[in-house]
Every structure is written in C-alpha cells, then in structure tokens.
DNA sequence: CAGCCTCGAGTTCC
DNA sequence: CTCGAGGCTG
C-alpha cells in the first residue's frame, strides 16, 4: 500500500494510522520479547517505528497513551525524530559595515516604493545560542523543534519542557501559535557547568553555545533538566490569528504571555538610529551575561513584512548586523592541496593550533591559487597584495563564526629564506596535468575518473544525503570499498552489484575487519531500498559539473521521464538541433549548463558508466511543476504604472505563485496586467488576443493565495 | 553590458 | 558559510 507523505495526512487519517501502528508494533514487541520469534523483519519494524515517530512529530496532539515510541523495552530511538516546520525557519542576510545597513534600509524602501524616512525598524541583540520553535495548540505546549536545515528540525519537546523560561501553558492565545526564539546559557552557568564537568572527569564544553546545544540535544531529558538553559522569544512561525500589527507589538504581546523577551529591543526610525542602537549594544556586549554576535534589524510594520516577503533563504525585511570576527595570529606550517569531485585543487592551510572564538582551529581554507598569491585574476589586490608563504605568521578568523580563513600576513615576521608558494600544475593525487581555464579562479586536475581522488569524491557525492542517501555507506566506507580488491566500488553501478558479488565465493564483507554479518546485511538492505530513485535525485547524484540540486530538479521537471531525457540528450549532441534549443529554453538553463549535460551524455566513457548504473535502477518519473494557483506556469507581463505596489513586489508575488514574469509581450504571454499609462504593450496584447486585467484585477486574482 | 540574484562547489569543527 | 560564476533583467 502506498503511504502518504506524513505532512499530507489529514487529522483523521493520522489518528487511524497511529492506532494501527500501535497495534502492529505492540504485537511485534510481544512476539519479539516473549516468543523470541519476530513476526516482522527488523527492517520492517524499524521502518514502522520511524513512520510512527514521523506522524507523532507532525501531529503531537494525536500521540497515544500506548504510543509505541514510549514502550519500555523498545529499542532506543536513534537520535530525535524529525519535524517538518509548518513555516520554514529561515536564516538572515548579513551586514558587516554601517553602509550595508543603509543599503538595507534603502532596498526595503525601494521595494515598497516609499520614502525611507517613513519606515521604522526594530533592533535587538542577536543571541549566540540555538534557535527553537515552540508549538502551542490551544495554549498548550505540544512540540518543540530545533531549526535543523530550516525545513526539517529535530523534535526536542521533552527537553524543552525542562527549560524554566519556556511556559508550558499560555492564557488567551490564538488556537495555534508557534513561538520562536533562542535557547542559550549564561556565562556564569556555563562556568559552573564546566567545573562540574571537570569534577566528574567529563570533557568541558568549548563555549556557552556548544554547552547549550549539547544540553538541549540530550536523549535523556532528565539530563537537560539539570542544565541551566534559558530562552528569549523574538519571533513566531505559524499562527491562527495575527499577534499584533507591528514587530514591536508582537514582541510585547509575547512578553505579556509570559515569555522572556530581550530588554535591549528598540524601535528605530531609520538606518541612523539602527546603527546608533548597534553601538549601544556593542558597548554593552562585554557586560551582558550571555554571548551575542550582532544586532538584528526588522521592518516594524507586519503588513510591510508580508509585502516584502522572502528571497530564496532569507526574508527581505530583516538583516543581521554582525560584530567583527575575532582575529588571532598563528603560524602557517604547511599548505596541502585537496582534490574535489570536479577536479578542483583546493589549498588548505595547516596551522599551529590556536583558539579562535572558543574553538581550536588547525586548518583553514586558502580558497585558490590567487588567494595565496594576493591578487585575483583581474589583478586586484587581496590583503593589500601580500602573498602567503609557508612559515608565515598569519591572522585567522572564522568567517560567519564557522569556516576558518586566513585574513592577513605579518610581513615583518617573515623568514628571509621563505620562498613564494608555487601552486602545483600537476595533480598531487594522480599526476595528471592541472590546468586553469581562462577567467577561471580554480585549477583543475584533468585526470577525470583516472584520478582516484576525483573518483572517490564523486562516489561520496553519489551516496550523500541529497543524492542516494544510502545509510551505512558514508565517506569512510566509500574509501574502504574503493581500495578493496574484491568487493570494490569504483563507480556508482558497483554499489548495486555489491550484494551479488558478496554472495560469490571470494572475500565476504562480513569477514572484513569492522564488519559483521548483521552490519553487512544492513548495508545490503539499505542499498536495495534505494534501487528505486527519482529522476531528479539520480541526475543530481551523477555529479556532473554545474548540475546541482536545483538544476537537476528543473531539468527533471521539464523532461519528466528519464527515457525522454536520455533521448533528448542524444538528439542534442548536434548543436542547433531542436533538442538543444529545447534544453536552452528551460528557464534557468544557459549554455554552460546545457553543454555540461550534453557533453556528459555524449562522452562514451561517461555515458557507459551512466548506462551501467541505470540498468541497476528503477527510475521514477519526476512530478510536473506544481499548479495549484491560477497563474502557475503562466507567463505574465506587467506594464504601465502600478499604484498599490512596486514592480519588484508584483513580480516577486507572481513568481512565488509559480508564474514567470517577462518584460515584453509575445505570443507566449498568457496574461497582461496593465496599469494607467500602458502603451504599446497593451496594444500588442490586444492584437494578439491576450487576456488583460488591471491592477485591482490582479490583486483580487491573487488575494488569499 | 552591468548589476542583480541564485546556485554550485568547496570547506571546518563538533 | 563564502566565493565565484551562470543566468536573467533592465
């Protein structure tokens, strides 16, 4: 029976399925523990348990008293169950300079078509903790989820209940209210916790942020209970009715409901006041009892926030003004070259270990050849034109508080004998020539799959989470299998013949070091379960240069079936062909991407590998582009003056609803939205018999969508 | 043709 | 997370 996506289930369906699962899993548990004769296989049992956990995560209020996830004796859950956020938890754009804050305010005003003098913003400290989403249904806390990747987080409800500043119940609130905020640990509590850890002989935490994260993500909520975590509320997700009309009003409302909100939150009339509040917060930073890493600004009026909407991963109505990163000097001991899946040679700095921002750093990225040289390919200076040499004293920081980078070089401490670094022109892994294409910043190994590094990296990509996502076959295992003489994995197809080869006489996997019959069996099952794969995922997994997750999705949605796509690639080998044009006509596909695809399918060697792989698989058709709005898939043109919104806003709205917005009227145009003063475009549309509406018509068309 | 925006690719540490 | 580059818009 086909199972519905968990988030597609109705309340009734979810309840019915949970009841069934409780029965089936309960019986299986009994059989397993008492009779020792399981009625269902381990993998089926695991699968049903995961399904149960997923449904419970989505509909916490439906969790049954006899829920299989609560059963004693049941195998402990591997980590936390997943929660799909009802509304995505996004990240924020960054500003580092005052000027970028001014640009932000101008951008907002321009988008809305208003004078920036009239806009107001909130400014608040950006707490350095971890964000948490709390779901209240009829005032009762039913679920707490971490941010995760923004779409899917981890269910940490039991742990969140242990935090004093998170109310378990709220009075007089909307039926549905998701409150978002930051979980953190104060400096004093962090110091205390670390002394306790030291007494117990446990490893101390590197910084309060890690301590907070480690404490919240305890599988045993009783441990979380002993950890002094706190929570600041600063935002909300899905709500059944608006909290207020302004950001500030909503924050005050959250405060009135019993949440702790940050007292340094202030309403500002424009960029100048925002920057002033930044200075105020910066000055207080050292004396605040918790870590902050910047100041967040948000457009105050919520109706304007809604109009501004979102870009791919960030809201247009908010920005984080970050404090400068901590800079630390250390010595560059060596420069190593890594080879990526596309053959890119990436230099990595090996450093004398040093603590930066509470973390010991021993490696840092050097980006590419030009970055070491101190000059980019246009001859522009990087770091004032200073090159980096082995043995130099270098200044390191963690970009975005994560990735270590080399920021500067101390020339006065340079050893006289230090020679400029010579970037290799042959691949250190396979000895093939490494070349730099004109205008390209990276040098690439030309060895292709002959290069073991490229082959291994490509395989790692193939099994990665967004590609085939094969459990138990990670980076380490890929390296092991690549080197294995008998059960070798040298190309993706080999993964799917592994079990067959293992069944033969030679070298069984279960006899390999670190493998038993159980783990070998599990791996084969995991591989088997991925034999059926979506077209888009497969295309992405191939690891063709320029073909990432989004482009793969786009291409798959266009051709729908693998078979049709393959035929199209064959037909497109001759450029100027119709098939080549069809490929180029896909919105978002240009010449470079098209050529990458056609070349991959045209080269005998690569093509044969793909065919060997596909012969092992069942490729599932892609879904055609969704179309539940009246303008989805349609091509629209705006013309004339729009009075109630700006062009940018109208366009963003249309695109959010799946429409394509074009600048000129043609036979392909489906709908013209004409404001006053519309001229030739309106006439042309009339000539072509294209449907035309005015701005009010547009507003009513998309209202409520 | 320049200036955006989005996507791809590469990277570190826990 | 950041940089570079591809693709689209004005």
């Amino acid at each position: 029976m086909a199972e519905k996506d968990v988030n597609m289930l109705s309340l009734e369906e979810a309840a019915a399925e949970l009841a069934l699962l409780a029965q089936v899993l309960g019986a299986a548990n009994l059989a397993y523990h008492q009779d020792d004769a399981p009625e269902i296989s381990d993998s089926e049992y695991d699968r049903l348990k995961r399904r149960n956990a997923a449904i419970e995560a989505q509909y916490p209020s439906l969790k049954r008293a006899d829920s299989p996830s609560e059963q004693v004796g049941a195998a402990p859950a591997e980590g936390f169950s997943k929660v799909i956020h009802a509304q995505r938890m996004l990240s924020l754009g960054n500003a580092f300079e005052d000027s970028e804050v001014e640009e932000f305010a101008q951008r907002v005003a321009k988008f809305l078509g208003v004078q920036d003098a009239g806009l107001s913003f909130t400014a608040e400290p950006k707490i350095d903790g971890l964000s948490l989403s709390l779901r209240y249904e009829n005032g009762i806390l039913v679920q707490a989820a971490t941010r995760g990747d923004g779409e899917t987080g981890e269910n940490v409800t039991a742990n969140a209940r242990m935090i004093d500043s998170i109310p378990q119940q709220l009075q007089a609130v909307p039926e549905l209210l998701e409150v978002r905020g930051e979980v953190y640990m104060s400096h004093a509590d962090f110091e205390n916790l670390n002394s306790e850890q030291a007494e117990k002989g446990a490893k101390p935490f590197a910084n309060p942020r890690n301590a907070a994260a480690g404490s919240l993500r305890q599988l045993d909520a009783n441990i979380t209970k002993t950890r002094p975590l706190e929570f600041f509320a600063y935002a909300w997700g899905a709500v059944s009715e608006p909290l207020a009309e302004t950001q500030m009003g909503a924050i005050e409302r959250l405060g009135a409901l019993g949440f702790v909100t940050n007292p340094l939150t202030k309403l500002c009339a424009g960029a100048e006041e925002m920057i002033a509040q930044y200075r105020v917060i910066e000055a207080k930073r050292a004396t605040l009892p918790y870590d902050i890493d910047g100041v967040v600004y948000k457009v105050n009026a919520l109706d304007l926030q809604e109009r501004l909407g979102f870009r791919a991963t960030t809201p247009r109505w908010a920005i984080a003004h970050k404090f400068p990163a901590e800079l630390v000097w250390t010595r560059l001991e060596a420069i190593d070259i890594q080879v990526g899946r596309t053959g890119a040679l990436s230099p990595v700095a090996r450093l004398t270990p040093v603590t930066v921002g509470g973390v010991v750093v021993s490696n840092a990225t050097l980006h590419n050849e030009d970055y070491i040289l101190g000059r980019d390919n246009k001859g522009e200076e990087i770091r004032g034109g200073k090159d980096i040499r082995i043995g130099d004293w270098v200044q390191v920081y963690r970009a975005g508080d994560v990735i270590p980078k080399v920021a500067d070089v101390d020339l006065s401490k340079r050893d006289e004998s230090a020679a400029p670094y010579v970037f290799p022109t042959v691949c250190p892994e396979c000895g093939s020539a490494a070349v730099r294409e004109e205008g390209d910043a990276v040098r690439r190994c030309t060895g292709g799959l002959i290069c073991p590094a490229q082959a291994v990296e490509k395989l790692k990509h193939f099994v990665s989470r967004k590609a085939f996502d094969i459990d138990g076959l990670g980076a380490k295992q890929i390296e092991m299998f690549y080197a294995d003489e008998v059960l070798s994995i040298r190309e993706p197809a080999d993964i799917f013949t592994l079990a067959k080869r293992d069944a033969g006489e030679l070298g069984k996997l279960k006899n390999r070091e670190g493998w038993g019959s159980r783990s070998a069996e599990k791996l084969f099952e995991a591989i088997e379960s991925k034999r059926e794969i979506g077209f888009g995922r497969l295309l992405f997994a191939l690891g063709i240069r320029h073909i990432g997750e989004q482009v793969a999705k786009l291409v798959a949605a266009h051709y729908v079936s693998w078979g049709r796509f393959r035929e199209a690639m064959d037909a497109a080998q001759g450029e100027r062909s119709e098939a080549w044009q069809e490929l180029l006509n896909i919105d978002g596909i240009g010449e470079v991407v098209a050529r990458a695809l056609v070349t991959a399918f045209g080269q005998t060697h690569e093509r044969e590998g793909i065919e060997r792989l596909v012969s092992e698989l069942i490729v599932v058709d892609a879904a055609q582009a969704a179309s539940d709005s009246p303008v989805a898939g349609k091509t629209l043109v705006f013309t004339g003056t729009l009075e109630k919104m700006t062009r940018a806003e109208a366009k963003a709205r249309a695109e959010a609803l799946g429409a394509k917005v074009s600048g000129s009227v043609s036979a392909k145009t489906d709908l013209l939205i004409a404001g006053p003063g519309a001229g030739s475009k309106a006439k042309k549309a009339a000539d072509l018999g294209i449907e035309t509406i005015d701005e009010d018509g547009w507003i009513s068309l998309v209202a409520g969508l």
Side-chain angles (χ1 to χ4, degrees):
Chain A
M1 188 186 68
E3 279 175 356
K4 278 196 185 178
D5 250 17
V6 171
N7 52 344
M8 301 290 287
L9 290 171
S10 72
L11 222 58
E12 290 77 26
E13 288 172 318
E17 198 171 338
L18 284 179
L20 185 66
L21 284 165
Q23 200 192 334
V24 172
L25 288 168
N29 253 339
L30 270 180
Y32 186 81
H33 286 103
Q34 295 177 3
D35 315 351
D36 212 20
E39 293 185 338
I40 55 177
S41 71
D42 282 7
S43 66
E44 179 66 3
Y45 180 84
D46 287 346
R47 195 184 68 79
L48 293 177
K49 279 212 69 153
R50 281 198 302 272
R51 174 87 180 158
N52 185 71
I55 298 174
E56 285 177 351
Q58 203 63 18
Y59 302 97
S61 55
L62 294 178
K63 190 162 172 176
R64 302 166 58 89
D66 64 347
S67 163
S69 59
E70 302 281 316
Q71 296 302 304
V72 190
E78 284 180 32
F80 297 95
S81 62
K82 298 226 159 104
V83 175
I84 299 167
H85 294 299
Q87 212 170 86
R88 282 206 298 161
M89 290 181 82
L90 295 132
S91 49
L92 296 177
N94 290 325
F96 294 94
E97 308 288 335
D98 291 357
S99 61
E100 293 172 81
V101 177
E102 282 156 21
E103 283 161 19
F104 162 68
Q106 282 162 12
R107 217 165 38 234
V108 167
K110 193 176 164 206
F111 189 96
L112 295 168
V114 298
Q115 291 291 314
D116 50 1
L119 291 168
S120 63
F121 301 83
T122 57
E124 66 193 290
K126 186 172 194 300
I127 314 298
D128 191 13
L130 58 154
S131 35
L132 191 68
S133 184
L134 306 168
R135 186 180 172 97
Y136 293 85
E137 290 174 8
N138 296 312
I140 313 278
L141 175 64
V142 294
Q143 185 182 79
T146 61
R147 180 175 178 281
D149 65 2
E151 297 206 23
T152 311
E154 287 179 321
N155 187 341
V156 291
T157 314
N159 309 59
R161 290 192 197 284
M162 303 299 171
I163 300 174
D164 292 342
S165 46
I166 294 179
Q168 301 284 313
Q169 265 197 31
L170 303 173
Q171 301 297 321
V173 285
E175 206 176 316
L176 170 64
L177 170 63
E178 282 185 2
V179 174
R180 290 175 178 178
E182 201 84 353
V183 173
Y184 68 97
M185 192 179 286
S186 74
H187 294 141
D189 287 333
F190 165 69
E191 298 297 343
N192 284 338
L193 175 62
N194 262 359
S195 356
E196 282 172 30
Q197 291 282 105
E199 276 168 34
K200 280 191 285 184
K203 207 176 153 223
F205 290 101
N207 52 53
R209 189 186 184 285
N210 285 2
S215 300
L216 185 69
R217 297 183 72 261
Q218 289 289 329
L219 288 171
D220 180 355
N222 290 314
I223 299 179
T224 306
K225 195 174 184 175
T226 67
R227 302 285 173 82
L229 294 173
E230 294 176 71
F231 181 80
F232 273 129
Y234 56 69
W236 57 95
V239 282
S240 53
E241 55 191 87
L243 285 175
E245 288 184 2
T246 62
Q247 180 73 30
M248 205 64 191
I251 297 298
E252 282 161 6
R253 176 93 189 274
L254 289 175
L257 286 173
F259 290 96
V260 183
T261 59
N262 195 289
L264 291 170
T265 311
K266 186 171 182 272
L267 194 61
C268 303
E272 205 173 309
E273 286 188 22
M274 282 145 77
I275 292 165
Q277 180 66 2
Y278 174 88
R279 301 267 178 265
V280 168
I281 292 171
E282 189 180 34
K284 290 196 171 158
R285 186 181 184 189
T287 58
L288 289 175
Y290 44 82
D291 280 343
I292 61 175
D293 57 0
V295 176
V296 175
Y297 309 121
K298 292 175 182 165
V299 170
N300 190 41
L302 299 187
D303 57 335
L304 297 184
Q305 284 189 10
E306 190 165 331
R307 281 176 57 192
L308 285 155
F310 300 88
R311 297 212 308 238
T313 58
T314 59
R316 286 195 190 87
W317 41 266
I319 197 166
H321 190 175
K322 296 293 205 63
F323 294 132
E326 186 194 355
L327 296 160
V328 181
W329 289 96
T330 187
R331 227 174 118 95
L332 175 63
E333 295 178 348
I335 296 176
D336 283 357
I337 302 287
Q338 294 181 354
V339 182
R341 86 179 145 86
T342 62
L345 267 50
S346 312
V348 177
R350 305 295 177 201
L351 308 164
T352 305
V354 65
T355 302
V356 191
V359 172
V360 179
V361 167
S362 45
N363 302 311
T365 175
L366 288 167
H367 292 294
N368 55 47
E369 201 169 347
D370 291 341
Y371 195 82
I372 298 175
L373 203 66
R375 228 168 251 284
D376 70 13
N377 58 14
K378 286 184 210 95
E380 304 260 4
E381 289 187 350
I382 305 169
R383 290 182 308 277
K386 291 186 259 182
D387 71 327
I388 299 170
R389 302 183 186 185
I390 294 167
D392 274 348
W393 282 87
V394 293
Q395 198 179 35
V396 181
Y397 72 104
R398 298 207 302 148
D401 278 337
V402 185
I403 313 283
K405 285 181 57 169
V406 172
D408 201 4
V409 185
D410 189 344
L411 293 183
S412 70
K413 287 193 181 165
R414 174 171 288 171
D415 194 289
E416 279 172 29
S417 63
Y421 179 73
V422 182
F423 204 90
T425 51
V426 290
C427 172
E429 300 285 337
C430 72
S432 303
V435 301
R436 236 179 116 167
E437 309 239 321
E438 174 92 28
D440 217 349
V442 295
R443 189 173 283 278
R444 289 196 154 80
C445 161
T446 54
L449 291 178
I450 297 164
C451 177
Q454 282 193 56
V456 168
E457 292 306 314
K458 251 189 145 151
L459 284 164
K460 285 182 191 169
H461 170 78
F462 185 85
V463 298
S464 65
R465 199 171 59 78
K466 288 176 168 176
F468 269 69
D469 190 21
I470 298 175
D471 287 346
L473 196 56
K476 260 175 84 181
Q477 288 77 10
I478 287 290
E479 279 171 25
M480 194 270 300
F481 280 116
Y482 189 83
D484 198 305
E485 298 268 317
V486 182
L487 289 174
S488 65
I489 294 178
R490 294 298 183 87
E491 62 167 28
D494 295 342
I495 293 170
F496 293 95
T497 60
L498 195 64
K500 217 184 294 168
R501 288 181 285 143
D502 186 73
E505 286 304 303
L506 294 158
K508 301 267 193 194
L509 179 57
K510 63 180 181 188
N511 301 327
R512 296 283 194 288
E513 193 173 334
W515 293 87
S517 59
R518 186 88 186 95
S519 56
E521 213 43 56
K522 274 213 143 138
L523 175 63
F524 297 145
E525 272 175 30
I527 292 172
E528 212 47 45
S529 72
K530 297 295 161 79
R531 220 177 256 281
E532 194 173 307
I533 189 97
F535 173 10
R537 253 180 196 260
L538 167 64
L539 183 57
F540 171 66
L542 294 177
I544 300 164
R545 182 138 90 103
H546 303 298
I547 315 300
E549 199 191 358
Q550 299 302 319
V551 172
K553 218 182 263 180
L554 212 60
V555 171
H558 177 83
Y559 290 99
V560 182
S561 87
W562 173 261
R564 178 158 140 54
F565 169 65
R566 174 163 47 183
E567 281 168 25
M569 289 306 101
D570 285 333
Q573 292 301 323
E575 294 196 5
R576 291 192 206 298
S577 63
E578 247 174 73
W580 170 256
Q581 271 310 318
E582 180 184 357
L583 186 57
L584 275 184
N585 280 342
I586 301 174
D587 200 16
I589 307 289
E591 279 202 31
V592 174
V593 171
R595 190 157 298 124
L597 274 173
V598 171
T599 309
F601 280 78
Q603 279 172 357
T604 327
H605 204 67
E606 199 160 354
R607 175 63 175 269
E608 283 171 359
I610 295 173
E611 296 300 339
R612 274 195 296 278
L613 169 66
V614 172
S615 71
E616 297 287 339
L617 303 173
I618 301 159
V619 186
V620 178
D621 284 358
Q624 249 165 331
S627 59
D628 44 6
S629 88
V631 294
K634 301 274 176 70
T635 300
L636 315 184
V637 176
F638 290 92
T639 186
T641 315
L642 299 179
E643 287 163 331
K644 289 170 185 149
M645 63 189 101
T646 65
R647 196 61 73 82
E649 186 182 349
K651 181 166 177 285
R653 182 94 177 97
E655 282 169 353
L657 293 168
K660 188 180 160 183
V661 178
S662 162
S664 57
V665 174
S666 74
K668 280 190 190 170
T669 309
D670 296 301
L671 179 65
L672 182 78
I673 297 95
S680 62
K681 284 181 196 169
K683 185 174 179 303
K684 187 170 176 191
D687 292 345
L688 291 166
I690 289 163
E691 186 188 351
T692 302
I693 58 174
D694 61 11
E695 188 178 2
D696 287 329
W698 165 249
I699 289 169
S700 59
L701 179 66
V702 300
L705 293 176

